């Protein structure tokens, strides 16, 4: 492993690029930091790194100085590259980028004694934790455009390692912002031994949420068995073979573009569309292509409701909502067609056999916020509208003797580190997830393969039948809880001076 002649470490290279783009001189930065200018020169040349004990303050000052100094055109370019919309967010993005490159350079120095990584490195064996850390390469900060392909036997990993793997995106990209230029395809092996039908579906839901702000796809492939490959086109690759759940063997890392693209291409070539585990759709697609209607009219309806939706709307409240919305703009359909779907849904709920589980916290959140997922469009109801919504829910529960309802009062897995409260709509025709990812976009996923449908069928069965310490089954207790929430809404209505309309 040879160091490239005259190559600089990644931190120094990024610092120089940002200072050049901002027109920030060494002297000006030295004055801002109250450092001798020779230190700045050494940081840029790569002869020295800032001291670890003061790195947080130094990088924050550098980031602020760059954003304050850069001209308007250059700032717009950085806004575009980092996909931010304010100076404060830009300062944070520049800081995160510099910090990632600094940490990466320091890790290389600790591991090899040099600050510049060779183009390609080989490790006979690495602890899995170290492998995952190496996956978190600073190149992931390039959020404007990114092509990523991975083949990871993720269901064979211990739970903590699974969360670390999918935490790559969570640690680098904010879920509150979208990154449409980041395309991520992952191959996973579904032919594992003993499945955990409670944990595994929850893990999938949270993985989909974590990556919902990028263009993300999961494919079923036995080719992922025993593998851990993560390739970023033109930029970085790490590849190894999983061994005993804690180690990877024959690990190769490379920043050589040709090597990266070769491995990326081989993984991407195995991403066959018919092997997609989840098919991402919009609510517009669900409505106009009749997927929504097919799901409602199908047999064996089983719903797990994580956020209040259009399911329990009385006619008058439906009309109040649609009168304030541009349905042609939102769903590309007129009010009459949406009304027809509403009437169909109402008739099904009042007459057909349905199993419904609702999280207790779903009621709590609805009472406090009034937020309603109206065909995947966020609306906020006034307290009195919330009251009418819950009164109709009670009406349906009492009217339809074919409806079974249970209430989920606690987490299914106490120590699960991610959010569990998501919506799952199962039927014999179409089953899909409606995930709560803050913005109601990229959040609908149709279960696309028999293996994943079976997994979520078993998941629902497990909750419905075997989680008696978590799920309230007695109808009288459920009714009492709903009555309690309705009283809470009345209390709120006395403190909020709002008219009886959508806020």
């Amino acid at each position: 492993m040879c160091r490239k002649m005259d190559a600089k470490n990644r931190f120094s290279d990024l610092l120089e690029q940002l200072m050049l783009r901002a027109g920030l001189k060494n002297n000006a930065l030295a004055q801002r930091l109250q450092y001798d200018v020779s230190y700045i020169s050494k940081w840029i040349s790569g002869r020295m790194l800032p001291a670890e004990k003061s790195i947080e303050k130094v990088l924050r000052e550098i980031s602020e100085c760059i954003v304050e100094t850069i001209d308007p055109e250059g700032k717009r370019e950085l806004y575009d590259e980092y996909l931010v919309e304010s100076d404060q967010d830009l300062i944070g993005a520049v800081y995160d980028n510099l910090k990632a490159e600094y940490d990466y350079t320091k890790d290389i120095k600790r591991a090899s004694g040099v600050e510049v990584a060779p183009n390609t490195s080989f490790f006979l064996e690495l602890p899995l934790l170290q492998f995952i850390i190496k996956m978190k390469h600073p190149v992931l900060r390039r959020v404007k455009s990114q092509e990523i392909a991975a083949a990871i036997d993720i269901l064979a990993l211990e739970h903590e390692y699974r969360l670390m793997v999918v935490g790559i995106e969570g640690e680098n990209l904010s879920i509150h912002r979208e990154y449409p230029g980041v395309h991520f395809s992952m191959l996973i092996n579904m032919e594992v031994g003993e499945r955990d039908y409670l944990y595994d579906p929850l893990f999938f839901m949270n993985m989909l949420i974590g990556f919902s702000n990028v263009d993300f796809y999961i494919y079923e492939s036995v080719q992922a068995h025993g593998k851990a490959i993560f390739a970023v086109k033109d930029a970085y690759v790490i590849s190894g073979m999983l061994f005993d759940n804690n180690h990877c063997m024959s690990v190769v890392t490379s920043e050589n573009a040709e090597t990266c693209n070769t491995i990326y291409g081989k993984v991407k070539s195995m991403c066959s569309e018919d092997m997609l585990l989840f098919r991402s759709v919009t609510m517009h697609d669900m409505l106009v292509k009749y997927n929504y209607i097919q799901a409602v009219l199908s047999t064996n309806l089983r719903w797990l409701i994580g956020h209040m939706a259009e399911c329990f709307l009385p006619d008058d409240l439906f009309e109040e909502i649609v009168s304030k919305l541009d349905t042609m703009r939102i769903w590309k359909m007129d009010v009459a067609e949406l009304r027809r779907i509403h009437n169909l849904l109402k008739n099904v709920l009042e007459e057909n056999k349905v199993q419904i589980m609702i999280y207790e916290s779903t009621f709590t959140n609805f009472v406090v916020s009034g937020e309603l997922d109206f065909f995947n469009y966020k609306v906020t109801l006034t307290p009195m509208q919330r009251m009418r919504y819950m009164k109709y829910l009670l009406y349906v529960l009492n009217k339809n003797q074919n409806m079974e309802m249970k209430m989920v009062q606690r987490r299914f897995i106490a120590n699960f580190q991610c959010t569990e409260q998501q919506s799952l709509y199962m039927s014999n025709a179409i089953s899909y997830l409606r995930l709560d990812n803050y913005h109601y976009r990229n959040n609908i996923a149709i279960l696309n393969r028999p293996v994943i449908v079976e997994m979520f069928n078993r998941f629902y069965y497990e909750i419905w039948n075997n989680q008696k310490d978590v799920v309230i089954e007695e109808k009288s207790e459920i009714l009492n809880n709903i009555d309690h929430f309705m009283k809470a809404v009345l209390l709120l209505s006395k403190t909020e001076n709002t008219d009886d309309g959508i806020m």
Side-chain angles (χ1 to χ4, degrees):
M1 298 187 299
C2 298
R3 173 176 170 165
K4 294 177 287 185
M5 293 298 294
D6 300 322
K8 291 201 302 185
N9 66 67
R10 294 179 60 97
F11 170 79
S12 298
D13 190 48
L14 177 62
L15 178 61
E16 183 179 32
Q17 289 179 36
L18 289 170
M19 289 181 64
L20 284 172
R21 294 178 69 173
L24 179 60
K25 303 299 183 183
N26 291 12
N27 284 332
L29 182 58
Q31 289 178 6
R32 175 68 171 260
L33 296 173
Q34 297 185 332
Y35 275 57
D36 190 279
V37 71
S38 63
Y39 280 94
I40 312 301
S41 299
K42 289 176 182 178
W43 295 348
I44 293 173
S45 67
R47 286 177 292 162
M48 177 187 290
L49 289 173
E52 224 166 337
K53 64 181 180 181
S54 57
I55 191 61
E56 308 284 343
K57 181 179 184 300
V58 166
L59 294 188
R60 181 64 61 184
E61 292 283 358
I62 291 173
S63 303
E64 291 176 354
C65 204
I66 286 169
V67 174
E68 291 168 6
T69 306
I70 196 167
D71 61 45
E73 183 178 352
K75 184 182 290 186
R76 282 195 298 272
E77 290 176 357
L78 284 184
Y79 268 39
D80 186 44
E81 288 181 22
Y82 287 108
L83 296 184
V84 296
E85 298 178 352
S86 70
D87 282 7
Q88 200 58 43
D89 284 343
L90 182 57
I91 290 169
V94 171
Y95 171 87
D96 287 342
N97 200 353
L98 285 167
K99 183 65 164 58
E101 296 290 7
Y102 178 86
D103 290 344
Y104 181 75
T105 302
K106 293 292 287 187
D107 286 343
I108 292 172
K109 181 70 177 288
R110 281 189 284 265
S112 63
V114 297
E115 294 174 352
V116 181
N119 265 345
T120 302
S121 300
F122 175 77
F123 306 87
L124 182 62
E125 178 184 330
L126 272 183
L128 186 53
L129 177 59
Q130 290 301 312
F131 185 95
I132 294 171
I133 289 173
K134 288 183 179 295
M135 289 175 67
K136 303 178 184 182
H137 194 274
V139 73
L140 295 175
R141 292 303 196 282
R142 299 177 188 171
V143 296
K144 182 180 180 181
S145 179
Q146 200 84 263
E147 300 284 345
I148 305 170
I152 302 175
D153 198 357
I154 199 163
L155 296 185
L157 303 182
E158 299 291 341
H159 292 174
E160 61 178 306
Y161 291 131
R162 290 191 204 179
L163 296 176
M164 289 179 189
V165 168
V166 299
I168 292 169
E169 202 72 28
E171 293 184 15
N172 287 301
L173 302 177
S174 168
I175 194 172
H176 296 279
R177 295 203 296 270
E178 293 185 71
Y179 304 93
V182 178
H183 308 284
F184 185 11
S185 299
M186 179 185 287
L187 295 168
I188 69 170
N189 174 40
M190 295 295 291
E191 293 187 7
V192 294
E194 185 176 348
R195 285 208 178 99
D196 186 334
Y197 286 104
L198 199 57
Y199 188 96
D200 290 350
L202 291 172
F203 171 74
F204 272 115
M205 283 189 267
N206 284 281
M207 178 163 59
L208 290 169
I209 291 170
F211 292 116
S212 63
N213 56 348
V214 304
D215 186 33
F216 178 58
Y217 303 93
I218 312 174
Y219 300 85
E220 176 190 4
S221 175
V222 294
Q223 298 294 326
H225 174 69
K227 295 183 178 66
I229 303 171
F230 185 80
V232 184
K233 191 176 181 181
D234 297 324
Y236 181 69
V237 67
I238 180 169
S239 173
M241 301 297 296
L242 294 172
F243 178 72
D244 76 5
N245 291 326
N246 291 303
H247 293 83
C248 284
M249 306 294 292
S250 302
V251 177
V252 175
T253 67
S254 181
E255 295 180 5
N256 177 275
E258 185 177 351
T259 302
C260 296
N261 293 347
T262 298
I263 296 177
Y264 168 86
K266 288 183 176 179
V267 175
K268 194 74 170 98
S269 68
M270 294 186 286
C271 298
S272 169
E273 187 172 347
D274 62 345
M275 301 303 286
L276 267 174
L277 288 175
F278 301 91
R279 181 161 55 89
S280 181
V281 297
T282 64
M283 181 55 73
H284 166 261
D285 291 335
M286 291 282 290
L287 293 172
V288 301
K289 295 179 181 179
Y290 304 113
N291 295 143
Y292 190 98
I293 293 176
Q294 289 173 25
V296 170
L297 288 178
S298 181
T299 55
N300 201 14
L301 297 181
R302 289 148 295 142
W303 297 349
L304 174 62
I305 298 178
H307 44 280
M308 289 301 188
E310 66 280 345
C311 309
F312 299 105
L313 281 173
D315 290 335
D316 56 349
L317 188 49
F318 171 85
E319 295 296 337
E320 288 174 19
I321 294 174
V322 295
S323 68
K324 298 181 180 294
L325 301 178
D326 183 351
T327 59
M328 287 302 297
R329 178 183 63 84
I330 299 171
W331 299 286
K332 303 295 186 295
M333 62 168 45
D334 59 26
V335 173
E337 182 65 16
L338 198 64
R339 185 180 294 118
R340 186 174 77 87
I341 294 172
H342 160 73
N343 289 332
L344 172 64
L345 178 61
K346 187 165 68 76
N347 291 334
V348 167
L349 278 173
E350 291 184 9
E351 299 174 14
N352 288 14
K353 181 176 175 58
V354 189
Q355 288 183 341
I356 296 178
M357 286 188 287
I358 305 181
Y359 290 90
E360 188 176 45
S361 54
T362 298
F363 282 99
T364 303
N365 294 338
F366 180 66
V367 166
V368 174
S369 71
E371 182 176 311
L372 181 74
D373 174 2
F374 183 69
F375 294 101
N376 218 42
Y377 184 85
K378 178 181 175 180
V379 298
T380 304
L381 304 185
T382 66
M384 294 314 297
Q385 287 174 326
R386 295 169 221 174
M387 175 65 74
R388 288 154 60 199
Y389 181 94
M390 287 194 285
K391 280 183 177 180
Y392 181 69
L393 188 157
L394 278 179
Y395 167 77
V396 171
L397 184 57
N398 287 314
K399 178 180 185 293
N400 185 358
Q401 299 304 307
N402 291 317
M403 176 181 288
E404 299 177 81
M405 182 176 288
K406 297 184 181 183
M407 185 176 289
V408 181
Q409 59 179 340
R410 290 192 298 275
R411 285 177 174 267
F412 304 124
I413 301 174
N415 61 349
F416 199 80
Q417 300 177 30
C418 305
T419 178
E420 294 181 19
Q421 188 173 305
Q422 307 305 325
S423 294
L424 170 66
Y425 295 85
M426 302 287 296
S427 76
N428 284 349
I430 294 174
S431 299
Y432 63 99
L433 293 162
R434 283 168 70 171
L435 305 170
D436 186 6
N437 61 358
Y438 303 102
H439 43 62
Y440 288 171
R441 293 188 295 276
N442 280 349
N443 70 323
I444 303 179
I446 292 178
L447 309 185
N448 197 55
R449 295 281 298 161
V451 66
I452 205 70
V453 173
E454 173 62 17
M455 176 182 285
F456 277 89
N457 275 329
R458 293 285 297 270
F459 169 68
Y460 198 95
Y461 178 89
E462 172 67 23
I463 300 169
W464 187 268
N465 293 289
N466 300 326
Q467 298 293 312
K468 299 187 184 301
D469 57 333
V470 174
V471 177
I472 300 173
E473 297 183 341
E474 289 296 326
K475 186 173 181 179
S476 59
E477 187 175 354
I478 294 171
L479 293 175
N480 285 338
N481 282 343
I482 296 175
D483 182 65
H484 166 78
F485 291 123
M486 292 172 69
K487 289 176 179 176
V489 171
L490 283 177
L491 289 174
L492 279 174
S493 69
K494 295 176 180 179
T495 61
E496 296 184 19
N497 183 23
T498 58
D499 60 8
D500 195 20
I502 305 299
M503 293 189 289

